[in-house]
Amino acid sequence: MYNQDFFFQALIYLGAAVVSVPIAKKMGLGSVLGYLLAGVIIGPFVLGLVGKETDEVMHFAEFGVVLMLFVIGLELKPSLLWKMRHSIFGLGGLQVLFTTLVIGAVALLFQFQFSKAVAIGLILSLSSTAIVIQTLTEKGLLQNIAGKSAFSVLLFQDMAVIPILALLPILATWGGEVNLAESELDKVTGVSAMPGWAQLLLIISVIAAIIFIGRFIARHVFRLIAETGLHEIFTALALAMVIGIALAMDAIGLSPALGTFIAGVVLAENEYRHEL
């Protein structure tokens, strides 16, 4: 019975994609909007064909984003990122700052408290890397100036998540309205319970380990795999790397997609990047 339900749900998802995405593309809307419309139509609020297994589907969706950022990282060499540093931190920083100020000001006009207005502005200043990059790739805009500028903004937004997550607990206690000892924030465990300096040191250590392994160890591992002549082992190794990095980044409270993107950039100059 379980297998029948699983295959029936898979048939619904695949059928919705096959029907809606070509229609959306014919109408000039792009495949991303086609997928979104398909999800809305088959979801619990319209036809109700799927919806109970939302949590399980989200895990697949998140892993797809992680894989996509890894592949994008493989296409970007560190030298190219260094050339883009001004647009990443300049243009990206301005976008996050300006959007936060504008949305925060609008929230203040609607009588939101200052801390809540700032939190709303910070949250809404971020956008979906997966959706934007997919759209840019489909339209062939990722390699021109506008596409690279958009990618720079997206990359800065991914990096900005780290200080924003650190700032939100401070905003939650702004004005003394929430007592940390009595709030849910005091119940966190693991990495979240560590002092701020310890969390920062752990984050730097994990990222440094990813860079070190990617630059100095991965090449030897890839050479050993290449000597076997089995392409499927390369696939297994790539998936193991992506999953391992995603788990490590998730354990320290960072975006798994950001971690795999960094790994992809580090491996971009590796002689086995095409096999990956």
Side-chain angles (χ1 to χ4, degrees):
M1 185 64 181
Y2 173 78
N3 288 334
Q4 291 180 352
D5 291 339
F6 175 80
F7 286 121
F8 180 69
Q9 291 170 1
L11 178 63
I12 293 174
Y13 282 114
L14 294 173
V18 169
V19 173
S20 62
V21 174
I23 293 176
K25 288 281 288 183
K26 286 288 185 180
M27 297 175 63
L29 300 177
S31 65
V32 173
L33 189 56
Y35 286 120
L36 291 174
L37 291 175
V40 172
I41 293 172
I42 66 176
F45 300 105
V46 182
L47 297 180
L49 298 176
V50 295
K52 296 180 180 179
E53 68 290 345
T54 303
D55 292 338
E56 289 78 4
V57 174
M58 286 301 297
H59 291 311
F60 283 101
E62 291 169 3
F63 188 62
V65 174
V66 167
L67 284 173
M68 183 182 69
L69 266 294
F70 179 69
V71 174
I72 290 174
L74 286 173
E75 299 295 332
L76 293 173
K77 295 184 178 181
S79 56
L80 177 60
L81 284 179
W82 180 251
K83 292 180 181 179
M84 295 171 59
R85 66 188 185 278
H86 296 298
S87 59
I88 292 174
F89 293 99
L91 187 61
L94 283 174
Q95 182 273 323
V96 172
L97 178 62
F98 181 75
T99 306
T100 301
L101 290 175
V102 171
I103 296 178
V106 173
L108 288 174
L109 291 177
F110 282 91
Q111 306 302 316
F112 281 87
Q113 296 177 354
F114 178 77
S115 59
K116 294 181 180 179
V118 173
I120 292 172
L122 288 171
I123 293 170
L124 295 181
S125 68
L126 307 179
S127 53
S128 172
T129 301
I131 292 178
V132 178
I133 287 183
Q134 179 69 19
T135 303
L136 292 175
T137 303
E138 287 181 5
K139 296 183 179 297
L141 300 176
L142 199 56
Q143 299 302 322
N144 61 23
I145 296 177
K148 290 180 179 179
S149 298
F151 179 76
S152 299
V153 173
L154 293 170
L155 184 56
F156 182 86
Q157 289 179 357
D158 286 338
M159 294 187 292
V161 171
I162 301 171
I164 289 175
L165 289 176
L167 185 61
L168 287 179
I170 300 175
L171 293 174
T173 59
W174 189 282
E177 294 182 4
V178 179
N179 189 348
L180 274 177
E182 300 175 356
S183 69
E184 293 295 325
L185 296 173
D186 192 54
K187 300 179 182 179
V188 294
T189 57
V191 176
S192 300
M194 298 170 60
W197 63 268
Q199 292 186 39
L200 180 61
L201 183 62
L202 179 61
I203 290 171
I204 294 174
S205 300
V206 172
I207 294 177
I210 292 174
I211 295 174
F212 177 80
I213 293 173
R215 287 187 64 86
F216 301 106
I217 298 179
R219 179 176 286 105
H220 303 291
V221 177
F222 293 151
R223 186 176 296 112
L224 292 175
I225 298 298
E227 291 175 356
T228 66
L230 300 174
H231 294 289
E232 62 270 20
I233 302 300
F234 252 112
T235 303
L237 177 61
L239 287 172
M241 286 177 53
V242 171
I243 294 173
I245 294 170
L247 289 174
M249 298 297 281
D250 186 63
I252 62 175
L254 293 185
S255 166
L258 178 60
T260 52
F261 173 77
I262 294 173
V265 172
V266 173
L267 295 171
E269 295 181 338
N270 192 290
E271 59 265 33
Y272 296 100
R273 62 186 290 266
H274 294 293
E275 285 80 358
L276 287 173

